C-alpha cells in the first residue's frame, strides 16, 4: 500500500514537472562556426537557470536550447549566450539574422572564456557596423538589480591579471548585447566539480548572471 | 475502372456460393409447389443473384477510376507599381514605352501557358490587367513570395517573372520567404542602379506624442550623393513660421549627417511640422527634399506603473512599446521593490500578480484606494483564486496544472477602439501565448478584444478582455509570452508597429478617463496616405445599452473647406465607417445622430500624412533582384534586355505541361442502382411465384 502511494506521488511529481516545462521562457546557447568551442561550459546555463528560478521566482525552462546563429529559431529565445575560447565566423546570412533578432528585441550575452576577444569583436562589428562596444560604468543598473555589485563585474577566473570589464552595444537606447570580458562568469556558473571554484565565487557569478537576466527582461 | 474491396477479392466467390446455396435450399429441396422446370430455373437464378449481390455488397466494394488531367505551366508576372519607378530621370520611358513592351512580352505566352498577373507595391494583389500608374506609396516583395508559397505550392508554376527596381521599404527581406520557393524567379531590373545626384531627408526620429510644456527632441537624418562641396540649408516650419534653420556643408560624395534640435510643445493638439531642404542644382528629384512630421501634444503626462512578480521578457517588451510615447512616465518595479504607496497612476500593469508566493495585499488595497485602472497579465505564477475575486471581467476555474498554447483571434464585434488592417492581417501569424487550461467565465458587459484559438480551434475563451465597472476599467491578458509578438512582428514586417499598436491602444483605452457620453466616436488622429480611414461609433440608451436604430451621419472637411458627407453602416449593435484613402491634408469631422428627441454631436480632427519612403532611396537595388534569381535558378535582366526573357522562358525545359492522375474511389453502396437491381430481382421472383400460385 505504501509502495502504491509512493508511486502515485512520483507520478504526480513527474506529471506536474513535465507540464511546468511548457510554462516558461527558454534561453539558448548560440552555436557558431569557425572552429571555436561554442560548447564550452556545458553545465553553466543549466545552473544559472536553476539559480534564477529558485531565487528570483522566475519561470525559465530548466533546460536550455542550442541554436544556430543563422537560424530563424533564434526568435524563440529572449536571451542567447555565446561562450568559447576560439575562432568565430559569421557569414552574411548569420550577420543579417543576428542583427534583425537583436534589433527586434532579442538579447545577446557574450561571455569571454578567455581568448574570444579578438574574434568576437570583429564579428560583432559586422553585425553592427554603426555601433561601438561601450564600457558599462559601475553605476550601470545591471550591477544593482537583485544583487549589488558596486565594483562592477566580479572576477571569477584569474587568467591574465586584467580587471574584468562589461561592454555593451546600445541600439536606440536599448542594450542589445552585453560582452563580459576577463571575468569568465560561465566558469563560475558550472558545477563545482568542473573548475573547483569556491562556493563564494560561484555564488557571486550566479548572482551576476541573475542580475543580467533580470536587467534584460525588465530593461 | 476497377472494382476492389477491403477484403480479399476471393471472398466474392464465396458470395456466389452463398447465393447458389440459398436458392438451392429454397427451390431444389422444397417441392411444395410445382413451378414448372423452366420457371424453377428462372426463380433459382433470380434468388441466387439477389443473395449473391447482397452478400457482395456486404464486402463494401469500391470502384476505382483514374482520371488524367493536364495542367499548363503557370507564368506569374508581378509588376512593381510603386512610385519610386517613375521618380528617376527615365520616368517618361516608364510611362510611355515600358507599358507597350511589357504588354507585348506577356502576349508572347498565349496558348501554351497560363499567364497570371500580379501587382506589387503596398501589397501584392492579383489583377486582370496591370495599370501603369506607378502610384503605390511603398514597396514590399516578401508578401508576393509568401502568397506563391501558399496558394501556388501545389500548382504547376513554371516561373515567376518579377519586374521591379528592388527598392523595398515594407515587409521582411524577400530572401527569407524565398527559402521554401520551388520555382525559378526571373527578375527584370527597372529604375536606375547608379548613385544619383540627390540631397534628401533619410529619416526623422521623434516621439509620436508628448505632453504640454515639454521640450521634445527631433533628429533629422540628411543624406547627399555626388554633391561634395555644396552647402544645403535645412529649415523646419510649423505652419508658415520657420522655427529652425541651419546650414549643412556637404563634405563628401556620399554624405550623411544627423541634425538634432529641440522644440517646446506649447499648445495641445496635433502639431504639424515640415522639414525643408534647399534645392541644389542637378538633383534627380526635389520630392525628397521636404517631409512633414506630426507630434501629438496631450494635456499632461500620465503615469503608468509596471509591477511584476518575477523578471519576465514580457516586461521589457511592453515597456519598449510604451516608451515610444513621451506622454507616459513609466515606473517599472518588482513587487519586492514596491514601496507601499501608489501615487496618481492612471494605469497599473500587474505581471503575474497577485502570485502564488505573494498575495500583494498592500498593492491591491492601494490600487483600490487610488482607483487606478489595472491590466493583469496572467501566467503560471498567478494566484488564480485571488484573481477570481478581483472583478476583472473574467474568472478562471483551473483544471489541473496544465497549460494551453493560445493563438490570438480578433473579435470582430470589438468596438472600444479601432484596430488597423495591418494588425488584423498579422495577428494569425503571431506565436501563441501560454494560458491556463481551465474554464473561463467572462462576466456580462466585459468586452473581449482577442479570443483564444487552441489547437486550430476558435474558442470563446478570452485572450485579451476589458471590463468597465462603474468607470473603473480593467483589462486582462490571460497568457504570458507576449514578448514574442514583438520579435515576430519585426521578423514579418521589419518593424514592431503592430505590437506597439496593440500595447499602446490597450494602455490608452485603460488609462483614459471614462467617457460617460451616450454617443461616442472612435478614430485615429493620424493616417498615412495609403491607409484605410476607419471610424467606429457607439450609441447608448439611458440605461447604457448599445443600440443602433438611428442613422449616424458624418461630414469630413478638408483644410480648404471641401466637405465630404458619409453615413455610418450598422454592425451588430454599433456603427462602422470605412472611407478608404484620402489625400494628404488636415481634416476635421462632425458626426451626428438623433435618438428620441435628442440630437447628439461629436467632432474631432485627423491628419493624413504624405508618405515619403518611396522618394527616400532612388538607387535601384539590382543586387537584391539578382540574388533572388540566383537563389531560385532564374535569371536577372536589365529592363532594356527584357525581350530576351521570351526565348529563355520558352526554351526552359522544366517549364512544361504536366499530366496528373487522379484516382477516384466510389462506394458501390452509395449508388442507388444496386438497390434497384436487388428490388427488381426480388420483385420479379415474387411476381413469378404469385403468377404460378405460390406465395
Amino acid at each position: 500500500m505504501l509502495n502504491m502511494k509512493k508511486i502515485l506521488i512520483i507520478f504526480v511529481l513527474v506529471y506536474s514537472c513535465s507540464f511546468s516545462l511548457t510554462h516558461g521562457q527558454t534561453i539558448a546557447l548560440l552555436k557558431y562556426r569557425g572552429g571555436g568551442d561554442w560548447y564550452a561550459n556545458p553545465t553553466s546555463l543549466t545552473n544559472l537557470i536553476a539559480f534564477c528560478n529558485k531565487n528570483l521566482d522566475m519561470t525559465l525552462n530548466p533546460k536550455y536550447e542550442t541554436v544556430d546563429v543563422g537560424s530563424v529559431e533564434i526568435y524563440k529565445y529572449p536571451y542567447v549566450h555565446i561562450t568559447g575560447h576560439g575562432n568565430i565566423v559569421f557569414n552574411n546570412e548569420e550577420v543579417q539574422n543576428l542583427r534583425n533578432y537583436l534589433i527586434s528585441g532579442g538579447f545577446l550575452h557574450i561571455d569571454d572564456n578567455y581568448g574570444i576577444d579578438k574574434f568576437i569583436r570583429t564579428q560583432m562589428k559586422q553585425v553592427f557596423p554603426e555601433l561601438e562596444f561601450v564600457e558599462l560604468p559601475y553605476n550601470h543598473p545591471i550591477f544593482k538589480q537583485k544583487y549589488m555589485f558596486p565594483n562592477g563585474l566580479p572576477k571569477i577566473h584569474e587568467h591574465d591579471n586584467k580587471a574584468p570589464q562589461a561592454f555593451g552595444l546600445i541600439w536606440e537606447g536599448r542594450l542589445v548585447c552585453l560582452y563580459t570580458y576577463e571575468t569568465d562568469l560561465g566558469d563560475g556558473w558550472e558545477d563545482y566539480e568542473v573548475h573547483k571554484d569556491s562556493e563564494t565565487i560561484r555564488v557571486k557569478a550566479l548572482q551576476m548572471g541573475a542580475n543580467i537576466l533580470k536587467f534584460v527582461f525588465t530593461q | 475502372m476497377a472494382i476492389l474491396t477491403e477484403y480479399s477479392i476471393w471472398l466474392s466467390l464465396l458470395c456466389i456460393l452463398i447465393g447458389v446455396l440459398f436458392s438451392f435450399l429454397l427451390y431444389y429441396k422444397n417441392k411444395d409447389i410445382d413451378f414448372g422446370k423452366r420457371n424453377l430455373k428462372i426463380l433459382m437464378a433470380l434468388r441466387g443473384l439477389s443473395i449473391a449481390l447482397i452478400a457482395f455488397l456486404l464486402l463494401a466494394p469500391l470502384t476505382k477510376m483514374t482520371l488524367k488531367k493536364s495542367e499548363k505551366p503557370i507564368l506569374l508576372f508581378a509588376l512593381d507599381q510603386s512610385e519610386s519607378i517613375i521618380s528617376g530621370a527615365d520616368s517618361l520611358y516608364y510611362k510611355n514605352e515600358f507599358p507597350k513592351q511589357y504588354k507585348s512580352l506577356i502576349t508572347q505566352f498565349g496558348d501554351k501557358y497560363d499567364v497570371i498577373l500580379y501587382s506589387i507595391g503596398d501589397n501584392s494583389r492579383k489583377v486582370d490587367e496591370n495599370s501603369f500608374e506607378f502610384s503605390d506609396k511603398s514597396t514590399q516583395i516578401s508578401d508576393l513570395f509568401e502568397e506563391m508559397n501558399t496558394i501556388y505550392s501545389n500548382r504547376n508554376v513554371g516561373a515567376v517573372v518579377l519586374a521591379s527596381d528592388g527598392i523595398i521599404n515594407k515587409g521582411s527581406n524577400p530572401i527569407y520567404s524565398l527559402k521554401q520557393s520551388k520555382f525559378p524567379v526571373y527578375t527584370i531590373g527597372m529604375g536606375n542602379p547608379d548613385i544619383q545626384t540627390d540631397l534628401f531627408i533619410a529619416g526623422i526620429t521623434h516621439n509620436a506624442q508628448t505632453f504640454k510644456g515639454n521640450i521634445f527632441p527631433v533628429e533629422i537624418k540628411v543624406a547627399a550623393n555626388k554633391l561634395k562641396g555644396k552647402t544645403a540649408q535645412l529649415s523646419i516650419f510649423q505652419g508658415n513660421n520657420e522655427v529652425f534653420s541651419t546650414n549643412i556643408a556637404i563634405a563628401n560624395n556620399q554624405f550623411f549627417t544627423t541634425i538634432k534640435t529641440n522644440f517646446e510643445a506649447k499648445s495641445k493638439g496635433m502639431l504639424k511640422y515640415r522639414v525643408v531642404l534647399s534645392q541644389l542644382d542637378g538633383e534627380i528629384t526635389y520630392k525628397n527634399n521636404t517631409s512633414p512630421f506630426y507630434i501629438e501634444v496631450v494635456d499632461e503626462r500620465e503615469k503608468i506603473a509596471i509591477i511584476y512578480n518575477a523578471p519576465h521578457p514580457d516586461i521589457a517588451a511592453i515597456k519598449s512599446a510604451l516608451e515610444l510615447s513621451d506622454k507616459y512616465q513609466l515606473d517599472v518595479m518588482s513587487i519586492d521593490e514596491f514601496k507601499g504607496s501608489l501615487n496618481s497612476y492612471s494605469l497599473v500593469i500587474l505581471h503575474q500578480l497577485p502570485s502564488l508566493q505573494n498575495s500583494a495585499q498592500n498593492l491591491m488595497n492601494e490600487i483600490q484606494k487610488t482607483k487606478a485602472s489595472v491590466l493583469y497579465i496572467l501566467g503560471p505564477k498567478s494566484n488564480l483564486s485571488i484573481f477570481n475575486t478581483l472583478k476583472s471581467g473574467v474568472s478562471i476555474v483551473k483544471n489541473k496544472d496544465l497549460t494551453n498554447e493560445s493563438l490570438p483571434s480578433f473579435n470582430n464585434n470589438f468596438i472600444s477602439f479601432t484596430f488597423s488592417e495591418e494588425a488584423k492581417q498579422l495577428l494569425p501569424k503571431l506565436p501563441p501565448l501560454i494560458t491556463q487550461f481551465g474554464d473561463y467565465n467572462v462576466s456580462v458587459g466585459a468586452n473581449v478584444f482577442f479570443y483564444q484559438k487552441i489547437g486550430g480551434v476558435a474558442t470563446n475563451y478570452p485572450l485579451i478582455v476589458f471590463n468597465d465597472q462603474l468607470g473603473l476599467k480593467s483589462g486582462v491578458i490571460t497568457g504570458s509570452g507576449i514578448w514574442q509578438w514583438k520579435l515576430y512582428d519585426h521578423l514579418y514586417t521589419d518593424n514592431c508597429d503592430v505590437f506597439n499598436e496593440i500595447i499602446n491602444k490597450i494602455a490608452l483605452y485603460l488609462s483614459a478617463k471614462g467617457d460617460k457620453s451616450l454617443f461616442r466616436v472612435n478614430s485615429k488622429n493620424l493616417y498615412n496616405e495609403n491607409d484605410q480611414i476607419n471610424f467606429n461609433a457607439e450609441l447608448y440608451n439611458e440605461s447604457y445599452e448599445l443600440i443602433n436604430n438611428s442613422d449616424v451621419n458624418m461630414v469630413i472637411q478638408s483644410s480648404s473647406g471641401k466637405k465630404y458627407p458619409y453615413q455610418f453602416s450598422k454592425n451588430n449593435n454599433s456603427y462602422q465607417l470605412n472611407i478608404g484613402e484620402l489625400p494628404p491634408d488636415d481634416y476635421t469631422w462632425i458626426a451626428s445622430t438623433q435618438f428620441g428627441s435628442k440630437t447628439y454631436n461629436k467632432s474631432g480632427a485627423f491628419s493624413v500624412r504624405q508618405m515619403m519612403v518611396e522618394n527616400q532611396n532612388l538607387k535601384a537595388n539590382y543586387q537584391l533582384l539578382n540574388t533572388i534569381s540566383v537563389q531560385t535558378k532564374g535569371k536577372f535582366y536589365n529592363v532594356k534586355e527584357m525581350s530576351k526573357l521570351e526565348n529563355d522562358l520558352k526554351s526552359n525545359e522544366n517549364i512544361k505541361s504536366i499530366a496528373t492522375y487522379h484516382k477516384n474511389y466510389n462506394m458501390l453502396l452509395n449508388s442507388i442502382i444496386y438497390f434497384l437491381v436487388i428490388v427488381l430481382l426480388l420483385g420479379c421472383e415474387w411476381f413469378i411465384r404469385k403468377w404460378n400460385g405460390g406465395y
Side-chain angles (χ1 to χ4, degrees), chain B residues 214-475:
Chain B
N214 189 34
I215 309 277
F216 61 91
V218 177
E219 281 186 22
I220 297 146
K221 298 186 176 104
V222 177
N225 293 327
K226 292 188 175 175
L227 287 165
K228 184 179 172 181
K230 302 265 176 66
T231 301
Q233 195 190 23
L234 182 145
S235 315
I236 302 177
F237 294 88
Q238 190 189 355
N240 292 322
N241 302 330
E242 189 181 88
V243 288
F244 176 82
S245 177
T246 186
N247 283 331
I248 301 167
I250 299 167
N252 50 50
N253 270 330
Q254 274 188 290
F255 177 77
F256 185 88
T257 187
T258 305
I259 307 288
K260 294 176 188 176
T261 180
N262 294 304
F263 294 115
E264 191 185 345
K266 283 184 189 148
S267 57
K268 198 183 136 185
M270 185 65 84
L271 300 187
K272 181 185 179 184
Y273 293 86
R274 199 159 40 90
V275 181
V276 180
L277 285 169
S278 55
Q279 303 185 347
L280 299 181
D281 289 340
E283 278 191 69
I284 178 106
T285 178
Y286 293 126
K287 276 189 198 166
N288 54 22
N289 287 37
T290 167
S291 178
F293 69 91
Y294 292 79
I295 186 157
E296 190 190 3
V297 182
V298 294
D299 257 340
E300 54 186 337
R301 214 166 182 200
E302 291 190 47
K303 284 169 75 183
I304 296 182
I306 304 177
I307 307 177
Y308 54 88
N309 174 60
H312 191 287
D314 281 355
I315 296 150
I318 291 171
K319 185 171 171 237
S320 75
L322 294 175
E323 264 171 352
L324 291 175
S325 167
D326 202 14
K327 74 172 191 181
Y328 298 125
Q329 184 199 319
L330 282 177
D331 292 316
V332 182
M333 64 193 102
S334 73
I335 183 67
D336 302 332
E337 291 157 355
F338 170 64
K339 295 284 189 301
S341 72
L342 282 176
N343 229 337
S344 59
Y345 285 99
S346 46
L347 173 63
V348 179
I349 300 175
L350 297 181
H351 195 272
Q352 304 197 45
L353 279 174
S355 74
L356 296 170
Q357 280 77 5
N358 195 331
S359 60
Q361 195 55 51
N362 269 349
L363 173 64
M364 300 317 291
N365 289 344
E366 194 65 17
I367 287 173
Q368 207 159 34
K369 207 171 80 192
T370 58
K371 294 202 159 74
S373 300
V374 189
L375 175 65
Y376 300 94
I377 300 172
L378 304 184
K381 295 278 177 178
S382 290
N383 187 331
L384 290 182
S385 45
I386 299 183
F387 171 77
N388 286 342
T389 65
L390 296 173
K391 300 201 176 96
S392 64
V394 62
S395 63
I396 302 165
V397 181
K398 203 163 157 176
N399 198 340
K400 301 196 187 114
D401 256 334
L402 303 183
T403 55
N404 276 323
E405 293 196 338
S406 302
L407 294 166
S409 136
F410 181 67
N411 171 14
N412 286 316
N413 298 332
F414 182 80
I415 44 159
S416 298
F417 47 82
T418 57
F419 194 51
S420 72
E421 276 309 309
E422 288 83 34
K424 280 180 200 166
Q425 277 167 21
L426 185 73
L427 211 58
K429 294 189 194 169
L430 295 176
L433 303 188
I434 306 298
T435 55
Q436 176 63 47
F437 174 62
D439 290 322
Y440 288 69
N441 251 313
V442 180
S443 41
V444 182
N447 201 352
V448 176
F449 184 30
F450 296 166
Y451 285 110
Q452 296 183 18
K453 193 172 173 185
I454 303 167
V457 181
T459 69
N460 54 5
Y461 292 170
L463 189 62
I464 301 183
V465 59
F466 301 111
N467 197 29
D468 191 340
Q469 270 235 325
L470 306 168
L472 267 184
K473 284 191 201 165
S474 62

Side-chain angles (χ1 to χ4, degrees), chain A residues 22-23 25 57 214 217 219, chain B residues 308-309 312 316 337 381 403:
Chain A
T22 62
H23 282 329
Q25 316 80 52
D57 203 18
K214 183 177 176 199
F217 286 0
Q219 71 168 332
Chain B
Y308 54 88
N309 174 60
H312 191 287
E337 291 157 355
K381 295 278 177 178
T403 55

Side-chain angles (χ1 to χ4, degrees), chain B residues 176 234 344 638 646:
Chain B
Y176 275 131
L234 182 145
S344 59
N638 191 304
E646 186 196 337

Side-chain angles (χ1 to χ4, degrees), chain B residues 75-111:
Chain B
L75 291 183
L76 238 150
F77 285 84
L79 176 64
D80 189 341
Q81 300 280 3
S82 68
E83 237 177 20
S84 61
I85 302 284
I86 49 163
S87 295
D90 39 12
S91 62
L92 279 179
Y93 164 76
Y94 284 106
K95 280 181 187 159
N96 302 323
E97 293 303 312
F98 177 79
K100 290 179 207 153
Q101 292 172 4
Y102 189 74
K103 279 183 192 162
S104 90
L105 173 71
I106 285 168
T107 46
Q108 305 305 318
F109 302 97
D111 313 333

